[in-house]
Amino acid sequence: MTATPPVTPPGLDSGHRFDARRRWAASLALGFAARQGATRMVRARHQGPLRVQRPFYPEGRDEACHVYLLHPPGGLVSGDALTIQAEVGAGARALLTTPAANKLYRADSHGVAWRQYTELEVADGGVLEWLPQETIAFDGSWGEQVTTVELSGNARCLGWEVLALGRPASRLPYVSGRIEQRFALRRDGQPLWLERQPLDPRHPRFRGRWGQGGASVQATLWAVGLDAAIEAIEALREALPASPRWAVTLRHGVLLLRYLGQERNEAWALCEAAWRVLRPRLVGREAHPPRIWFT
């Protein structure tokens, strides 16, 4: 048998690569369907340390199905390849979250990177709320995060990503490593939002005012399917605390709220407050925060 050589994808240097010989895969594939007026989790296949708790219906049996994604290791190390897939069928409504922060640990002495893929698909008439808790990248972490959202017909979706670079409170800033982030959101195969972001503290963009500006925390919230997006933006500007650290805009029907600052608690609170404003406009229901957020 011929050994598979390491692969260096775009964005990673020759010292930090994905190595098929050092690959520890974990995957989770979920499916939700509307059955007899309620949303049921009809598929939950897993490989490796990825699980879900039983579905919850804190808003009522005929409302959104809440599911907690569990990753017992609590983070990604060199060689990890994590894949999460979720399909929401026509007329189904699902809210997915996590019980704790995800951690991206420092690369090992061999410089092997990690991978994390999230693939979300929502059918015509379906609604998905993707609300994971924050991700913390340790100094020296190397890898790539790829998120794809495929919508059909009049599917609706709201989600966020909160990323904290380094651990400033422990005097461990993010001064080495590289994280490649890619995001694609499409409706009926047509791109609405495509983005690629390399996070490299050695690059001038990381410190420059024209780029990251030295910020250690960033967040992006997206919402697509709002009936009155302009009015929703005005509602956000009225409800959220005024600050130069966040801004909201609308592009191709996608509402985007961005945060760039130094406080992950502030970023999380901003996203949660925005969700409370947007959810009634997206699904016609008041926000019902998952109980796991308060434990």
Side-chain angles (χ1 to χ4, degrees):
M1 179 182 296
T2 303
T4 303
V7 176
T8 304
L12 294 180
D13 65 23
S14 60
H16 298 82
R17 64 190 75 192
F18 302 123
D19 191 338
R21 298 167 298 187
R22 293 277 312 281
R23 184 173 182 271
W24 296 288
S27 63
L28 178 66
L30 304 177
F32 299 88
R35 299 280 174 84
Q36 299 178 336
T39 297
R40 304 296 184 216
M41 188 170 69
V42 296
R43 183 172 68 258
R45 297 196 300 266
H46 70 87
Q47 174 189 359
L50 264 177
R51 301 287 194 279
V52 294
Q53 286 188 337
R54 64 178 178 82
F56 296 95
Y57 295 88
E59 304 175 67
R61 298 295 295 183
D62 58 346
E63 298 294 338
C65 177
H66 290 218
V67 172
Y68 303 160
L69 311 182
L70 308 179
H71 184 224
L76 299 178
V77 300
S78 290
D80 280 357
L82 198 67
T83 301
I84 297 172
Q85 298 172 306
E87 295 183 9
V88 179
R93 291 179 287 171
L95 185 155
L96 307 183
T97 188
T98 57
N102 181 35
K103 298 177 179 63
L104 308 175
Y105 292 109
R106 184 181 184 88
D108 62 14
S109 59
H110 298 284
V112 177
W114 48 263
R115 284 173 164 170
Q116 182 176 356
Y117 296 117
T118 303
E119 302 169 5
L120 309 174
E121 185 174 335
V122 190
D124 183 26
V127 180
L128 172 62
E129 295 168 88
W130 172 254
L131 311 176
Q133 296 204 46
E134 71 270 23
T135 295
I136 302 172
F138 285 43
D139 179 40
S141 182
W142 286 78
E144 70 172 6
Q145 293 177 308
V146 180
T147 300
T148 61
V149 183
E150 301 286 347
L151 307 178
S152 298
N154 65 352
R156 290 166 286 168
C157 182
L158 184 150
W160 64 47
E161 174 70 33
V162 179
L163 175 64
L165 299 169
R167 294 174 292 160
S170 301
R171 299 183 180 179
L172 295 170
Y174 189 73
V175 296
S176 65
R178 181 184 172 98
I179 298 173
E180 179 93 7
Q181 291 186 318
R182 282 177 280 157
F183 192 99
L185 190 155
R186 303 180 183 88
R187 186 183 292 281
D188 296 325
Q190 298 300 310
L192 301 180
W193 173 33
L194 303 176
E195 184 169 279
R196 171 183 173 270
Q197 177 177 223
L199 295 169
D200 185 344
R202 302 168 301 177
H203 193 280
R205 177 189 176 280
F206 197 79
R207 296 292 171 192
R209 294 177 61 119
W210 50 274
Q212 190 83 3
S216 62
V217 179
Q218 63 182 49
T220 298
L221 177 148
W222 71 87
V224 58
L226 292 163
D227 292 329
I230 298 299
E231 289 82 352
I233 288 177
E234 293 304 317
L236 287 173
R237 288 173 175 160
E238 291 178 6
L240 303 183
S243 170
R245 293 182 293 278
W246 69 268
V248 61
T249 188
L250 182 69
R251 292 289 183 272
H252 303 293
V254 182
L255 182 148
L256 289 172
L257 185 147
R258 307 276 201 173
Y259 170 90
L260 194 62
Q262 306 292 345
E263 298 292 336
R264 61 176 170 148
N265 288 339
E266 181 181 45
W268 173 266
L270 182 75
C271 287
E272 185 179 349
W275 173 62
R276 291 177 182 273
V277 172
L278 296 174
R279 193 182 201 238
R281 292 168 168 81
L282 190 76
V283 303
R285 299 289 186 274
E286 295 296 322
H288 197 294
R291 185 175 59 186
I292 196 71
W293 289 357
F294 306 104
T295 59

